[in-house]
């Protein structure tokens, strides 16, 4: 479908109120394969998009297409295509887009389900608002979200201590050259490292200088895994593949590179709370939560629409794929009540 000057591909199933499913990195519309039929069977129209830069959607190389305001307009175009309002479900970067949509276009979001805390995305302020909490000129701390310094300054502070992909992905070229020719190996290692059984934080044993992402990601066991078959993995590889190496991972890489611009854009809404009905569902072994200190207390304060927090055991970052039955039960119970 055409939206905000680009074309996005979607998987669509069912009829009824719109549920818009927004994936993260590394993912695609197929990341929601376990949710489409249950939503359709429950009387919803489930629409899982390939975000810009992924799968069968357009993959422009221009960085400006990937900031948070372009993403918001793209999602609004998808909602316009199907109706007036949507229930929005987001994971990883998709959670960032979902939170932003609920704050910046609240009237278009009927309800919200996310797997990453509000305002803790790569461009966030950790729910601390727009005002600095440290004096001007204080050196950037190695933290993922803050009102005090630009994201790339914080990423550089992390990288001074050890390898971190936030920093490694910033320049155009090195990540493309390393990962595009070894796409399947990268995806397999990254999926496993981010899962409940993985060890993402092994990267702290590597210095930034001279280290590529595949040096920092530990090897993954052979497929199949309990939550991912060989055929499913092959589908992900096929959805990422592209004849132009610069476009293979452009959706994800451009999202990391948009961090400073998104932080600048987000200042306007940094003091806005989230009022739409919201369910937060996360994997208890999600390694990314090490970036989110004090998330629960802050989210309970900043999200007055919060209807519940559901922790799913034996799930990591890909909670909707690793434990689909538990995720779907929480999702459908919440949707039945809104």
């Amino acid at each position: 479908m055409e939206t905000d000057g680009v074309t996005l591909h979607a998987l669509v199933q069912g009829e009824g109120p719109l549920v818009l499913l927004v994936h993260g990195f590394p993912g695609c519309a197929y990341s929601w394969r376990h949710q489409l039929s249950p939503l359709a069977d429950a009387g919803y129209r489930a629409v899982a998009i390939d975000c810009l830069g992924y799968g069968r959607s357009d993959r422009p190389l221009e960085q400006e297409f990937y900031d948070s305001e372009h993403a918001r307009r793209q999602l609004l175009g998808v909602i316009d295509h199907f109706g007036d309002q949507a229930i929005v479900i987001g994971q990883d970067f998709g959670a960032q887009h979902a939170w932003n949509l609920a704050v910046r276009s609240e009237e278009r979001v009927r309800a919200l389900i996310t797997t990453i805390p509000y305002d803790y995305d790569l461009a966030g302020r950790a729910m601390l608002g727009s005002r600095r909490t440290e004096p001007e000129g204080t050196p950037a701390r190695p933290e993922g979200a803050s009102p005090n310094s630009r994201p790339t300054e914080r990423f550089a502070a992390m990288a001074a201590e050890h390898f971190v992909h936030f920093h490694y992905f910033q320049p155009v070229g090195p990540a493309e050259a390393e990962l595009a020719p070894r796409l399947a190996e990268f995806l397999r290692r990254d999926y496993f490292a981010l899962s409940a059984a993985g060890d993402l934080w092994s990267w702290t044993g590597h210095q930034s200088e001279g280290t590529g992402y595949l040096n920092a990601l530990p090897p993954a066991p052979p497929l199949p895994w309990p939550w991912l078959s060989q055929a499913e993995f092959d589908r992900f590889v096929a959805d990422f593949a592209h004849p132009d190496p610069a476009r293979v991972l452009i959706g994800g890489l451009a999202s990391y590179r948009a961090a400073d611009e998104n932080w600048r854009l987000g200042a306007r809404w940094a003091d806005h709370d989230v009022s739409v009905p919201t369910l937060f569902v996360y994997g208890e072994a999600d390694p990314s939560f090490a970036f989110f200190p004090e998330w629960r207390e802050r989210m309970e304060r900043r999200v007055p629409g919060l209807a519940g927090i559901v922790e799913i055991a034996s799930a990591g970052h890909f909670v909707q794929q690793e434990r689909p039955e538990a995720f779907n039960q929480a999702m459908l119970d919440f949707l039945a009540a809104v």
Side-chain angles (χ1 to χ4, degrees), residues 118-120 124-134 143 145-148 269-273 293-294 298-299 301-302:
Y118 173 45
D119 201 35
Y120 266 112
R125 289 169 168 81
M127 292 183 277
L128 296 175
S130 61
R131 299 184 63 180
R132 295 181 62 96
T133 61
E134 296 178 345
E143 52 194 358
S146 170
N148 298 308
W269 290 279
D271 298 308
H272 288 229
D273 293 341
E294 302 177 13
R298 293 178 186 177
M299 194 159 68
R301 184 174 67 249
R302 292 293 310 275

Side-chain angles (χ1 to χ4, degrees), residues 184-185 187-189 191-192 220-237:
E185 181 183 1
L187 290 178
R188 186 171 58 252
R189 289 193 185 197
Y191 286 153
F192 190 76
L223 290 157
W225 306 332
W227 63 276
L228 189 66
S229 71
Q230 183 67 56
E232 289 172 322
F233 177 75
D234 291 344
R235 169 65 183 269
F236 282 117
V237 174

